[in-house]
Amino acid sequence: MAISLRESNVQKLREQAFDVLIVGGGINGAVAAASLAGCGVRVALIDRGDFASGVSSNSSNLAWGGIKYLESHEYLLVNKLCKSRNRLMRAYPSTVKEIRFFTTIQRGFRFPPFFIFLGTIVYWIMGRFVTRSPRYIGASALERAEPVIDTSDAAGGLEYSDCYLYDNDARFVFNFIRKSLNYGCIAANYVESLGARREGDQWLTHARDVVSGESFDIRSKVLINACGPYVDAQNLRCGESTEYRHLFSKGVHLIVDRITDNKRVLTFFASDGRMFFLIPMGPKTCIGTTDTQVETPEVTATDEDRDFILANVNALLDLDPPLTRDSIIAERVGVRPLAVSGHGGQDADWVALSRKHVIEVDETTRHLSIFGGKLTDCLNVGDEVADHVRRLGVDIPAPNHRWYGEPGPDLRAEFMLQARLMDLDSMTASSSSEPLSQRFWRRYGESAFGLLERIREDERGAELLIENAEYTRCEIELAARREMIVTLEDFMRRRSKIELVVRRDEYKQAPGLREACDILFGEQAEMRLQEYLGTQP
């Protein structure tokens, strides 16, 4: 059996020395790796689980400019996030898309609807008029515009624009890691950091291959802690003392069958006063979120969380029948790591804390800790990390290289021409309104040319293996070669969103699931399939 990409990279982690080792493969670690590798730095990246397996696969799938921070008067932060959102829109036009937010304000809310509408005007101005302009909606017009809303207690509403990820957040994160691999980064999932120490002028990170159980040391000049909510624990293992630390807020989203055919985000204020969303997710709707202070990143969705979300959506919408726990297809649960300074975090108003990121640098040990952060601001994190690493004395061979973004319009036009000439979009029957050619390009960029070649060899490559999953045979073959799939959950929930939009009983019984396992795991297919089915409720 040929050696896999992951096995090859684990061996290189043992043998090579690196300029930078990044611990943590969420959004912060992924953009740090892409930025540094794209600039020519010798980079390694490890994660104790799968890439994007924590917070970065449990978000709202929104790339927004932080409109809620206007209420706390954090205008500089909103301005920065709007600029970051606009930069993402320009860099990823197929993935980061404008979407309308339709907001209903109930009677007795702390601000009248027109006052909130004026806030969206300010937000639009701070966003440099890149999106469509906001509009005010009177109470009498709300029901005509969106019949599913219960308008019996509505004082009025408004509509404004922000952005969302067309695919899931974990796929977006992985594409940064895939890009870093193209630039020479040595990345491996399921490799755990057991701690690190300074030896001379370099770091020795003691690591363990979770798959094989074997331990080894990784050598690097600079060590970056990008462990998300586990940053504090990782620093403790490495003997690093920092000014900042994390507080945690648990957020839960529920995914249900599509509630409205209007492709916009329905926005309300939940009973606890925070913003509450119904977000399109292909044929489904993602609803939430909760906001519960917790002491640890290890969280699960509880019946209390589920009932809070269901009670709010049933109170705010005119649903017949109302949603129940049986309506839930999948759940997303994670923590928001909120950066706080000093030892007075116990007194912080954690609900008002923003998701701004902080990069704390120890110049003496050449160590970086990345606190907080959100997907919208990820490109800034990548740029800032590269700048800090340069200041620590690491050579940056190509400092001006553009390390992010989709391929240019000429390459996209060439791909679309080839897809049209082979009549790609007629080859697969799908419930999606999106043509297969667009989906291929958004997910794989220039690598999508290889999918066309595979389908030219055998048109069965365009077949869907799992009904309603919108993933073709050739995509699963590509994932097996290039995407470090170790468990079936890696593919079902993070490289794809099948587990989020297809009911469990449907994908468990799908004949194509076994074939997908054969493609992904070869002789280990049956073991991985039973392992996955055994962990599913």
Side-chain angles (χ1 to χ4, degrees):
M1 181 177 175
I3 188 169
S4 70
L5 173 60
R6 181 186 175 277
E7 291 170 327
S8 173
N9 280 1
V10 169
Q11 188 62 33
K12 291 173 182 176
L13 290 172
R14 297 170 178 267
E15 298 171 349
Q16 298 181 13
F18 301 93
D19 293 325
V20 179
L21 170 64
I22 302 166
V23 181
I27 185 61
N28 288 338
V31 294
S35 173
L36 291 169
C39 295
V41 178
R42 290 176 299 161
V43 184
L45 178 135
I46 59 174
D47 193 292
R48 68 176 183 175
D50 188 27
F51 304 121
S53 57
V55 181
S56 295
S57 58
N58 290 288
S59 76
S60 300
N61 275 14
L62 300 177
W64 62 326
I67 188 172
K68 73 171 187 175
Y69 301 135
L70 289 177
E71 185 176 353
S72 53
H73 307 292
E74 295 184 78
Y75 303 115
L76 292 179
L77 177 61
V78 175
N79 180 65
K80 181 182 179 183
L81 290 175
C82 282
K83 289 172 65 177
S84 300
R85 179 204 64 191
N86 295 348
R87 188 181 179 194
L88 281 177
M89 291 176 69
R90 292 191 300 269
Y92 297 96
S94 300
T95 300
V96 181
K97 292 182 172 291
E98 179 179 350
I99 191 169
R100 298 296 274 177
F101 283 62
F102 191 92
T103 304
T104 303
I105 308 299
Q106 304 297 321
R107 293 191 184 96
F109 187 65
R110 57 184 180 269
F111 299 116
F114 195 76
F115 183 82
I116 298 176
F117 170 69
L118 294 178
T120 65
I121 294 291
V122 173
Y123 188 60
W124 181 52
I125 294 170
M126 296 178 79
R128 280 75 174 169
F129 312 106
V130 168
T131 60
R132 292 165 55 193
S133 60
R135 71 183 182 104
Y136 182 77
I137 306 170
S140 60
L142 280 171
E143 189 169 5
R144 293 195 302 273
E146 187 56 76
V148 75
I149 295 174
D150 183 350
T151 59
S152 59
D153 197 37
L158 51 104
E159 191 176 56
Y160 68 98
S161 285
D162 238 314
C163 289
Y164 80 121
L165 299 179
Y166 198 99
D167 270 320
N168 59 327
D169 46 6
R171 179 79 221 177
F172 185 72
V173 172
F174 178 77
N175 281 345
F176 282 109
I177 293 173
R178 183 59 254 179
K179 194 146 195 169
S180 75
L181 291 167
N182 294 344
Y183 291 133
C185 174
I186 305 302
N189 50 357
Y190 296 97
V191 175
E192 179 182 13
S193 167
L194 302 176
R197 70 182 190 277
R198 291 289 293 176
E199 189 170 284
D201 63 348
Q202 65 179 356
W203 281 96
L204 284 184
T205 298
H206 193 51
R208 182 176 72 93
D209 181 351
V210 176
V211 176
S212 69
E214 297 179 357
S215 299
F216 54 93
D217 289 336
I218 305 173
R219 294 169 290 160
S220 64
K221 297 176 183 176
V222 175
L223 182 61
I224 298 178
N225 180 354
C227 293
Y230 298 96
V231 162
D232 300 312
Q234 172 67 11
N235 279 337
L236 186 63
R237 283 192 290 268
C238 298
E240 282 289 321
S241 177
T242 57
E243 176 187 348
Y244 282 85
R245 64 184 186 86
H246 279 139
L247 295 180
F248 306 116
S249 170
K250 182 177 77 167
V252 177
H253 296 82
L254 305 180
I255 298 172
V256 300
D257 284 323
R258 184 161 52 201
I259 289 177
T260 174
D261 290 333
N262 291 323
K263 295 180 179 179
R264 56 191 174 193
V265 179
L266 302 187
T267 310
F268 306 88
F269 288 89
S271 58
D272 65 353
R274 70 172 285 113
M275 294 185 79
F276 188 83
F277 301 104
L278 284 84
I279 306 165
M281 183 181 276
K284 309 301 175 185
T285 297
C286 180
I287 58 176
T289 179
T290 61
D291 190 10
T292 309
Q293 187 175 17
V294 292
E295 297 298 322
T296 171
E298 304 292 340
V299 293
T300 58
T302 65
D303 284 343
E304 184 180 1
D305 297 324
R306 298 179 186 102
D307 291 343
F308 171 83
I309 294 173
L310 293 171
N312 272 279
V313 74
N314 287 329
L316 295 166
L317 301 183
D318 187 12
L319 299 176
D320 186 19
L323 296 181
T324 67
R325 293 182 190 173
D326 291 337
S327 307
I328 301 170
I329 296 169
E331 300 173 345
R332 315 188 90 188
V333 54
V335 295
R336 307 170 187 90
L338 307 171
V340 294
S341 176
H343 300 287
Q346 293 88 347
D347 302 323
D349 182 3
W350 64 275
V351 175
L353 289 173
S354 73
R355 296 284 302 280
K356 65 183 179 183
H357 72 268
V358 176
I359 301 177
E360 191 167 337
V361 182
D362 186 332
E363 295 183 359
T364 302
T365 61
R366 295 206 283 188
H367 182 279
L368 277 68
S369 302
I370 308 177
F371 294 92
K374 59 192 283 101
L375 188 146
T376 308
D377 208 26
C378 65
L379 299 185
N380 287 331
V381 172
D383 287 340
E384 291 171 26
V385 165
D387 187 54
H388 285 304
V389 167
R390 177 188 59 80
R391 293 181 184 181
L392 292 176
V394 174
D395 181 42
I396 309 288
N400 298 319
H401 178 72
R402 189 173 186 266
W403 54 272
Y404 59 88
E406 295 180 11
D410 291 344
L411 199 60
R412 183 184 188 280
E414 175 64 22
F415 173 81
M416 291 300 173
L417 174 62
Q418 292 190 24
R420 186 168 65 253
L421 291 175
M422 62 187 290
D423 202 17
L424 176 69
D425 293 336
S426 67
M427 291 184 179
T428 299
S430 171
S431 59
S432 172
S433 60
E434 182 189 31
L436 186 59
S437 56
Q438 292 183 20
R439 194 156 72 236
F440 275 7
W441 180 257
R442 185 183 68 255
R443 289 175 180 168
Y444 308 106
E446 60 265 43
S447 297
F449 284 98
L451 299 180
L452 298 186
E453 188 61 32
R454 178 70 184 93
I455 294 170
R456 290 189 193 102
E457 294 171 358
D458 185 349
E459 288 193 3
R460 292 181 303 166
E463 294 176 354
L464 296 174
L465 290 188
I466 302 173
E467 189 177 358
N468 299 323
E470 296 182 0
Y471 267 80
T472 60
R473 177 181 280 105
C474 66
E475 290 179 271
I476 299 174
E477 293 171 348
L478 182 68
R481 293 194 308 273
R482 304 179 74 241
E483 298 190 354
M484 297 194 205
I485 310 295
V486 175
T487 72
L488 186 53
E489 183 185 327
D490 297 342
F491 176 74
M492 295 288 286
R493 191 173 181 96
R494 288 179 287 277
R495 304 302 182 274
S496 76
K497 58 181 179 183
I498 296 172
E499 194 179 296
L500 298 176
V501 298
V502 179
R503 290 188 176 275
R504 293 185 182 93
D505 55 351
E506 292 180 27
Y507 64 70
K508 281 184 176 183
Q509 298 171 14
L513 185 60
R514 174 54 197 260
E515 187 175 353
C517 283
D518 288 336
I519 295 171
L520 292 169
F521 305 114
E523 60 188 22
Q524 293 187 342
E526 183 62 25
M527 179 186 72
R528 293 301 181 191
L529 177 60
Q530 295 307 319
E531 171 190 75
Y532 178 72
L533 296 179
T535 62
Q536 295 296 295

